[in-house]
């Protein structure tokens, strides 16, 4: 048996064992351990994101048991990160929105239009600074007398970082690359959302546009597959933005249908035409859109059926179901 096959078999059994662990066993993966093992590199690499991921996992579980939230805020610079440790904050959030405003080469609002390695690079820099403060604290402490040591407060400078992966900046391969960058950088958890690429808006803005569920699941699966290939225990958060979303790029996935609203007034002017006409006339877009929403009486398909179905229709439907 060649070395490659022996290594492949060891990897497969290690992956299967890992998938049985408490943290993993509830996850349903649409790929096999063999597929993952075949993609693993021949040298074993320990990613520090596993240490940080496990630390955050313990922390989140402690909060879950105690019924408390883990509160933090966005930070993109080393000085703030070290002060957060000293202030007793337990984790750091590395925001895409703040990275866009503070560290991207072309400064802008939260449109997720900066290069995909922007946030991973911020995390990598913060992690190096965390390590620096950690080493510095230790050497300072060890160089003091026992009496002095008793007076020195000890901080946890290695706070786990939760990073913003936005929508993954592309399709499957782009997400795999970004996930790898995050894992290498020392990220504890990354979140990917279901927003359409190029249509990210800052939360307060209208017009939030999401992708079909199947596309979102492909994003998450790509990220999970990469973590499995790397053997990294970085956490993956599904942060959906469908709450208050107004548009979806396609209704190809039937699982989305019950949430999709459409015009129910026959002959109403199509939305896009009404908006274009309003913009040509120089009208306020927000007003035009709410006027159209009122005229079109938008509702989901089940809501529309409920409005017109009689008791008899419902009985007939039930009777059909029973046949
Ligand atoms: C939290 C967030 O991911 C961020 O980048 O800070 C943003 C914030 C915002 O747009 O208000 C987001 O929610 O996408
Ligand atoms: Mg963001």
């Amino acid at each position: 048996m060649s070395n490659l096959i022996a290594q492949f078999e060891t990897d497969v059994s290690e992956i299967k064992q890992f998938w049985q662990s408490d943290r993993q066993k509830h996850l349903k993966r649409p790929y096999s351990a063999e597929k993952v093992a075949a993609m693993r590199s021949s040298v074993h690499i320990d990613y520090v994101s596993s240490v940080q991921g496990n630390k955050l996992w313990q922390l989140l579980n402690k909060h879950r048991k105690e019924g408390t939230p883990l509160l933090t805020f966005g930070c993109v610079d080393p000085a703030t990160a070290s002060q957060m440790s000293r202030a007793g904050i337990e984790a750091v959030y590395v925001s895409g929105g703040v990275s866009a405003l503070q560290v991207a080469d072309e400064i802008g609002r939260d449109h997720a239009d900066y290069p995909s390695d922007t946030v991973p690079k911020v995390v990598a820099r913060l992690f190096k600074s965390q390590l620096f403060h950690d080493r510095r604290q230790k050497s300072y402490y060890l160089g003091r007398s026992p009496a002095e040591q008793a007076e020195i407060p000890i901080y946890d400078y290695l706070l786990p970082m939760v990073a913003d992966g936005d929508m993954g900046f592309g399709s499957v391969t782009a997400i795999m690359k970004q996930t790898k960058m995050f894992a290498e950088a020392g990220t504890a958890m990354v979140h990917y959302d279901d927003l359409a690429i190029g249509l990210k808006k800052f939360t307060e803005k209208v017009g939030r546009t999401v992708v079909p569920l199947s596309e979102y699941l492909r994003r998450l699966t790509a990220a999970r597959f990469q973590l499995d290939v790397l053997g990294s225990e970085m956490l993956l958060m599904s942060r959906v933005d469908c709450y208050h979303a107004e548009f979806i790029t396609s209704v190809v996935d039937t699982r989305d249908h019950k949430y999709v609203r459409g015009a129910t007034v026959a002959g109403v002017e199509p939305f896009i035409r009404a908006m274009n006409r309003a913009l040509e006339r120089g009208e306020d877009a927000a007003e035009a859109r709410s006027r159209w929403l009122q005229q079109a009486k938008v509702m989901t398909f089940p809501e529309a059926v409920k409005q017109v179905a009689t008791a008899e229709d419902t009985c007939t439907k039930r009777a059909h179901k029973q046949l």
Side-chain angles (χ1 to χ4, degrees):
M1 196 161 46
S2 77
N3 276 349
L4 277 186
I5 294 176
Q7 190 187 12
F8 172 74
E9 283 170 358
T10 313
D11 283 345
V12 170
S13 65
E14 271 176 22
I15 293 163
K16 285 187 175 163
Q17 212 180 328
F18 174 62
W19 288 357
Q20 286 312 310
S21 64
D22 269 359
R23 256 190 62 188
Q24 300 288 324
K25 62 182 180 216
H26 65 285
L27 292 178
K28 282 193 197 126
R29 293 165 158 92
Y31 49 79
S32 63
E34 285 76 9
K35 274 257 168 356
V36 174
M39 300 276 293
R40 280 212 166 161
S41 45
S42 308
V43 283
H44 177 81
I45 302 172
D46 273 326
Y47 291 92
V48 76
S49 48
S50 297
V51 178
Q52 296 302 83
N54 279 318
K55 187 170 177 178
L56 183 62
W57 175 253
Q58 309 283 346
L59 202 56
L60 290 172
N61 272 299
K62 179 182 95 88
H63 278 285
R64 189 170 53 88
K65 282 196 195 109
E66 292 169 4
T68 48
L70 200 172
L71 296 175
T72 184
F73 52 86
C75 161
V76 294
D77 73 285
T80 310
S82 69
Q83 294 311 303
M84 285 170 79
S85 292
R86 295 169 76 99
I89 290 171
E90 296 170 301
V92 170
Y93 179 61
V94 185
S95 147
V98 180
S99 295
L101 272 173
Q102 300 229 58
V103 297
D105 284 342
E106 282 296 336
I107 301 300
R109 292 296 298 275
D110 190 10
H111 293 302
D113 54 358
Y114 42 81
S116 65
D117 62 355
T118 305
V119 178
K121 279 182 176 161
V122 174
V123 174
R125 187 158 173 265
L126 288 178
F127 189 64
K128 281 184 192 164
S129 81
Q130 289 181 322
L131 288 173
F132 163 73
H133 284 291
D134 181 64
R135 288 193 303 265
R136 188 167 162 263
Q137 164 171 267
K138 192 169 160 199
S139 70
Y140 179 81
Y141 183 84
L142 294 175
R144 306 275 89 75
S145 69
E148 285 168 328
Q149 283 173 353
E151 301 298 316
I152 300 173
I154 300 295
Y155 300 109
D156 178 6
Y157 284 110
L158 292 162
L159 300 184
M161 287 182 268
V162 177
D164 190 349
D166 285 288
M167 80 309 287
F169 297 84
S171 191
V172 170
T173 55
I175 291 181
M176 287 184 68
K177 285 179 187 166
Q178 205 196 33
T179 303
K180 182 163 177 281
M181 287 189 267
F182 276 123
E184 287 166 347
T187 316
M189 179 196 258
V190 60
H191 65 72
Y192 286 115
D193 62 49
D194 54 353
L195 289 168
I197 295 171
L199 291 170
K200 163 83 184 164
K201 307 233 167 75
F202 208 68
T203 308
E204 90 261 15
K205 292 281 188 261
V206 292
R208 194 180 287 187
T209 306
V210 293
V211 295
L213 179 61
S214 42
E215 196 173 327
Y216 184 44
L217 292 178
R218 257 198 308 278
R219 290 180 185 174
L220 296 177
T221 305
R224 173 61 62 198
F225 184 73
Q226 178 65 286
L227 291 175
D228 283 335
V229 170
L230 300 175
S232 163
E233 294 188 55
M234 179 171 84
L235 308 183
L236 176 61
M237 187 206 291
S238 150
R239 191 202 82 166
V240 289
D241 280 47
C242 54
Y243 185 65
H244 280 171
E246 287 184 289
F247 301 102
I248 186 161
T249 53
S250 153
V251 287
V252 72
D253 192 327
T254 51
R255 288 169 294 184
D256 293 321
H257 287 187
K258 62 180 169 199
Y259 307 104
V260 175
R261 298 182 304 159
T264 59
V265 175
V268 75
E269 187 178 20
F271 175 72
I272 191 87
R273 216 183 290 158
M275 288 304 290
N276 284 342
R277 205 165 40 81
L279 292 177
E280 271 163 25
R281 286 193 198 147
E283 287 173 20
D284 182 71
E287 273 171 31
R289 120 213 246 101
S290 59
R291 204 170 45 240
W292 183 86
L293 284 170
Q294 275 171 7
Q295 283 166 1
K297 294 204 172 50
V298 292
M299 53 185 97
T300 63
F301 187 71
E303 281 165 355
V305 170
K306 242 193 225 159
Q307 290 239 328
V308 292
T310 60
E312 202 186 319
D313 290 335
T314 322
C315 288
T316 320
K317 195 175 159 207
R318 270 199 215 119
H320 271 300
K321 259 194 188 163
Q322 278 160 14
L323 285 177

